[in-house]
Amino acid sequence: LLGHTAGVAPFGNDGEAVPLFSQLVVEGPRQWSIPEILDRTRDLPPAGPPGTAAYTNLGYVLVGAVVEEVTGQPLATV
């Protein structure tokens, strides 16, 4: 995920995810939780198959989700 080769959907970069990313920013000056972002991005098409090099902010969100799941703590605490 951190190598940007997982092929996950582009989010906050370019393509069809830009309106969604902008909506999250515009909807309110608050911190979105990882589950909220994952819920909103669940149906976005992948950037490509695994192994495809494509920078995407969603990879960072997914790493955060893994950290929270493994540690049982919010990412901000970890």
Side-chain angles (χ1 to χ4, degrees):
L1 291 169
L2 293 177
H4 302 289
T5 58
V8 298
F11 177 64
N13 309 75
D14 55 11
E16 60 190 271
V18 169
L20 175 60
F21 183 76
S22 298
Q23 179 186 10
L24 290 176
V25 172
V26 171
E27 277 188 20
R30 70 178 185 88
Q31 191 166 8
W32 291 83
S33 71
I34 291 173
E36 288 174 315
I37 294 172
L38 293 178
D39 185 55
R40 295 210 178 189
T41 58
R42 181 170 286 116
D43 296 327
L44 293 175
T52 301
Y55 177 87
T56 173
N57 291 323
L58 189 54
Y60 294 119
V61 176
L62 291 169
V63 167
V66 170
V67 169
E68 287 189 348
E69 183 67 26
V70 169
T71 65
Q73 298 180 52
L75 183 60
T77 302
V78 175

